[in-house]
């Protein structure tokens, strides 16, 4: 019998108790799905590791620890990092985003399109979590493997076969504890990442059952028991997996009691383990730059440590931050490597502050150039998301939970491509993020949220706003710069599909009064009008690719296939910023897998 090494701990780490040595073998910056498990794994392999995290530990705050509280978590000031981004270079288009955010004269937020006098524009809200465990502490936890084509693409552009889908599957097996597939030997059962399937209420005669049944009928699964469909494994080992459509059970990184499992729980299990692994965690530690040394007759500098500021809420995205809190400057040495895992916005910011990035941008801020690496903070990408939401004829009392439906757009069917739409439907309202989200429309609300995979556009940027490491960078996604027609058409396919299915709900539930993209009161909702609404109101929260892996011939590649920052030694980036494209419909499971791969690659070099 395998021991249970990953018991969930409910204690909160205290910042004050940490004693910091001046030197560690590895210094890891950021404790999200990229950095957190990597730090724990390196320590478990016997290496001394310092994990620096800008936030504190909210693992015993029930808003954060219970996965079904994710809306509370997203609004909780103890973990929130509030970023405000652009979706385009056109200021007029930006302000037509229905949940555009302004700062009122009295300091409070205003959300909407008719700002009061004296309010200043902030931008489109983009959520992140600055806390032990990163965004895995306030996400919805949906855990889907990327398509084989997404993994094989990395192998193709780098020539490194270890990115192939078979090898990546082995990494999934070593990290997961797939309790939803208990006797299935094609899954792992002794990893740190407990995966469960969401429960959906579909009792006989219930509205929930009826609403799943109409979807099953529409995808040709009407004869299969709804309960069986809701257990269908979207991460099955199955050669044809990425071509299959229909209903699937939604998998989450949480245990059967709904407690979040992920970097936070793995780090704590490592700290309390009787085997006394050499892991040190320093909370409230905002890393400001990487320190380099140039060896005498060597042209590439070596990362030898980091500088950080110790103090609470130092980063300006933290709603509790204040300009006058400057923190205490500290330095620490890494005898082997520095690993940056600050996430998609912060990893490129840290590299640039350290002198690694486009030379022209660094010189503008008087940052001395260590390596002119023009790709840092470029080619950012994200899934496009929208939703069709309406009100049923009556309260949907017994509908709880959401079910997933994967579909192919008409273009994907025509080209025999992999599924490209991920929908999740239920009685909830999710229209993106803003301070105070979501809007609750009452118990008759019903939505199908739509995630569009593999968007064409990869033109987002993260650039410095100043040389102050406490400032947030400028972030512009530049959605729909490329492939606009194809992507909007595919999303509209999903919207129309959901609308036609919902129209078939039993009388008493249907007809739905649609709130958007079409208002039911407007009979003139053309395809062109729907596309325009979708384009203006597309939201996202799966950003990747700002420090991407690429081939030796790729001028904009930031990392080689082993996560090494090009042009320096002893420095890697391990988080969602490393993906050359958004991996599938949801990035968190692929990021956990990438972290496991990085651990193996780093050990091989040690
Ligand atoms: C609201 C929300 C819901 C989501 N839902 C899902 C979902 O259901 N499924 C899914 O697959 N994905 C989801 N995601 C996305 C997913 O959670 C992220 O892609 C994933 O967490 C990325 O991991 P990461 O390690 O790259 O970075 P992050 O999770 O962002 O972690 C980065 C960490 O680094 C720390 N840090 C940053 N800068 C510094 C610094 N200078 N010094 C020290 N520490 C620093 C941060 O505090 C943070 O803890 C969601 C994201 C959000 C925001
Ligand atoms: C800190 O340094 C001391 C003295 O070198 C060493 O004994 C100890 O193991 C170190 N602790 C960690 C966590 O690296
Ligand atoms: C949890 O969230 C609620 C509101 O969403 C808030 O009132 C409460 O203070 C939060 N709890 C903690 C422990 O932060
Ligand atoms: C798993 O296998 C065990 C032993 O054969 C059996 O007792 C148990 O019922 C199985 N569980 C499931 C969910 O199939
Ligand atoms: C569901 O209810 C109907 C009528 O109430 C009954 O005929 C049917 O057998 C029930 N089905 C199940 C699976 O319980
Ligand atoms: C579900 O709710 C509907 C409408 O309120 C009601 O008619 C039905 O009996 C309920 N079904 C169950 C199984 O509770
Ligand atoms: C520097 O050059 C000398 C002589 O060529 C060599 O012995 C030494 O190993 C080199 N050092 C490094 C760090 O490469
Ligand atoms: C810093 O500013 C805040 C208000 O933003 C104030 O409450 C606090 O007293 C100030 N602290 C110092 C040390 O000046
Ligand atoms: C850069 O340095 C120059 C010369 O010292 C100074 O004039 C300029 O203001 C600095 N720019 C910034 C952005 O700090
Ligand atoms: C679609 O592609 C799959 C493999 O990716 C292949 O097995 C199948 O035959 C193709 N179907 C058509 C209609 O071309
Ligand atoms: C539909 O027509 C009405 C009345 O002419 C107009 O107010 C509304 O904006 C139109 N809807 C859309 C989505 O264009």
């Amino acid at each position: 019998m395998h021991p249970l090494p990953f018991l969930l701990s409910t204690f909160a780490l205290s910042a004050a108790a940490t004693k910091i040595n001046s030197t560690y073998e590895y210094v890891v910056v950021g404790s999200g799905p990229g950095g957190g498990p990597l730090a724990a794994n390196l320590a478990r392999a016997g290496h001394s590791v310092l994990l620096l995290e800008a936030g504190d530990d909210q693992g015993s705050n029930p808003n954060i620890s219970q996965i079904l509280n994710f809306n509370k978590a997203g609004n909780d000031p103890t973990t929130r990092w509030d970023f405000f981004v652009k979706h385009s270079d056109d200021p007029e288009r930006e302000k037509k985003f229905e949940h555009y955010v302004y700062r009122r004269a009295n300091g409070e937020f205003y959300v909407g399109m008719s700002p009061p006098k004296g309010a200043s524009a902030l931008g489109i809200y983009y959520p992140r979590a600055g806390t032990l465990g990163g965004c895995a502490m306030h996400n919805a936890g949906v855990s889907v493997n990327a398509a084989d084509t997404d993994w094989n693409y990395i192998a193709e552009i780098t020539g490194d076969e270890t990115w192939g889908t078979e090898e990546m599957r082995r990494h999934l097996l070593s990290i997961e504890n797939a309790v939803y597939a208990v006797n299935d030997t094609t899954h792992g059962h002794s990893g740190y990442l407990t995966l469960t399937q969401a429960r959906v209420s579909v009792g006989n005669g219930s509205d929930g059952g009826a609403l799943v049944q109409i979807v099953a009928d529409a995808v040709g699964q009407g004869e299969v028991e709804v309960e069986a469909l809701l257990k269908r494994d979207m991460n099955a080992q199955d050669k044809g997996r990425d071509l299959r459509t229909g209903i699937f059970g939604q998998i989450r990184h949480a245990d059967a009691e709904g407690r979040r499992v992920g970097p936070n729980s793995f780090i704590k299990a490592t700290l309390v383990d009787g085997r006394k692994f050499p892991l040190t965690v320093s909370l409230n530690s905002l890393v400001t730059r990487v320190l380099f040394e140039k060896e005498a007759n060597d042209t590439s500098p070596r990362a030898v440590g980091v500088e950080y500021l110790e103090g609470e809420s130092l980063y300006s995205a933290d709603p509790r931050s204040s300009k006058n809190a400057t923190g205490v400057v500290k330095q620490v040495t890494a005898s082997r490597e520095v690993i940056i895992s600050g996430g998609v916005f912060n990893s490129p910011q840290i590299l640039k502050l350290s002198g690694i990035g486009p030379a022209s941008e660094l010189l503008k801020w008087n940052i001395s150039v260590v390596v002119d690496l023009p790709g840092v903070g470029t080619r950012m990408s994200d899934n496009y998301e929208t939703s069709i939401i309406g009100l049923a004829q009556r309260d949907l009392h017994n509908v709880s939970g959401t079910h997933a439906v994967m579909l192919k757009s008409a273009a994907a069917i025509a080209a025999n491509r992999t599924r490209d739409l991920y929908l999740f439907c239920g009685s909830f309202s999710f229209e993106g993020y803003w301070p105070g989200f979501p809007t609750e429309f009452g118990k008759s609300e019903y939505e199908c949220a739509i995630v569009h995979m593999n968007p064409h556009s990869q033109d987002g940027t993260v650039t410095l706003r100043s040389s102050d490491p406490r400032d947030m960078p400028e972030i512009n996604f530049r959605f729909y710069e490329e492939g606009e027609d194809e992507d909007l058409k595919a999303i509209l396919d999903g919207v129309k599909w959901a609308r036609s299915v919902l129209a078939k709900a039993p009388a008493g539930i249907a007809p739905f009064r649609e709130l958007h993209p079409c208002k039911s009161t407007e009979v003139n909702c053309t395809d062109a009008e729907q596309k325009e609404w979708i384009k203006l109101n597309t939201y996202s929260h799966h950003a990747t690719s700002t420090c991407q892996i690429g081939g030796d011939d790729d001028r904009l590649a930031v990392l080689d296939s082993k996560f090494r920052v090009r042009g320096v030694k002893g420095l890697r980036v391990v988080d969602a910023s490393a993906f050359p494209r958004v991996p599938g419909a949801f990035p968190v499971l692929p990021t956990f897998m990438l972290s496991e791969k990085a651990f193996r690659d780093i050990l091989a070099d040690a």
Side-chain angles (χ1 to χ4, degrees), residues 86-98 100 102 112-113 115 121 124 532 535-537:
K86 295 185 173 122
H87 282 176
S88 75
D89 290 311
D90 173 359
E92 291 317 305
R93 171 179 154 190
E94 294 298 287
K95 290 178 181 173
K96 291 180 188 155
F97 185 81
E98 287 182 359
Y100 196 83
Y102 295 80
M113 295 192 291
I124 294 167
E532 177 66 5
K535 183 178 172 187
L536 290 175
N537 288 292

Side-chain angles (χ1 to χ4, degrees), residues 320-325:
R320 303 160 299 178
S321 67
S322 79
K323 273 256 177 267
N324 59 9

Side-chain angles (χ1 to χ4, degrees), residues 188-204:
H189 300 282
S190 53
Y192 69 88
L193 195 66
T194 305
L195 297 176
T196 49
Q197 263 172 347
R199 283 186 216 115
V200 184
S201 64
V202 289
N204 193 14

Side-chain angles (χ1 to χ4, degrees), residues 194-240:
T194 305
L195 297 176
T196 49
Q197 263 172 347
R199 283 186 216 115
V200 184
S201 64
V202 289
N204 193 14
S206 73
D207 291 350
L211 285 160
V212 180
Q213 189 64 50
I214 54 172
V215 171
D217 292 341
V219 295
Q221 296 176 314
E223 301 306 310
V224 185
E225 282 285 330
V226 160
E227 274 85 355
L229 293 176
L230 294 172
K231 289 191 179 133
R232 211 164 148 229
D233 180 7
M234 58 173 72
N235 293 335
Q237 177 161 31
D238 166 2
K239 277 261 176 262

Side-chain angles (χ1 to χ4, degrees), residues 499-519:
R499 183 180 293 130
S500 72
V501 171
L502 292 177
K504 293 181 190 130
I509 298 177
F512 285 89
R513 188 153 69 77
E514 187 171 324
L515 300 171
H516 62 67
C518 295
K519 285 193 175 54

Side-chain angles (χ1 to χ4, degrees), residues 149 242-243 408-420 456 486 493:
T149 45
D242 304 325
L243 297 168
K408 290 183 183 185
S409 65
I413 294 169
N416 194 22
R417 278 203 312 265
T418 59
R419 57 200 183 190
D420 57 346
H456 286 81
E486 275 173 275
D493 287 347

Side-chain angles (χ1 to χ4, degrees), residues 2 6 143-145 168-181 184-196 233-237 251-253 261 589 592-593 596:
H2 204 279
F6 309 118
S143 300
V144 196
N145 193 358
M168 293 313 295
R169 177 92 199 174
R170 279 197 282 282
H171 295 312
L172 172 61
L173 263 60
S174 56
I175 63 175
E176 73 178 345
N177 175 17
V179 297
Y180 70 90
D184 181 344
T185 54
T186 67
H187 276 289
H189 300 282
S190 53
Y192 69 88
L193 195 66
T194 305
L195 297 176
T196 49
D233 180 7
M234 58 173 72
N235 293 335
Q237 177 161 31
I251 301 168
R252 290 196 293 239
H253 53 82
V261 176
L589 186 62
F592 284 121
M593 292 163 69
E596 179 72 12

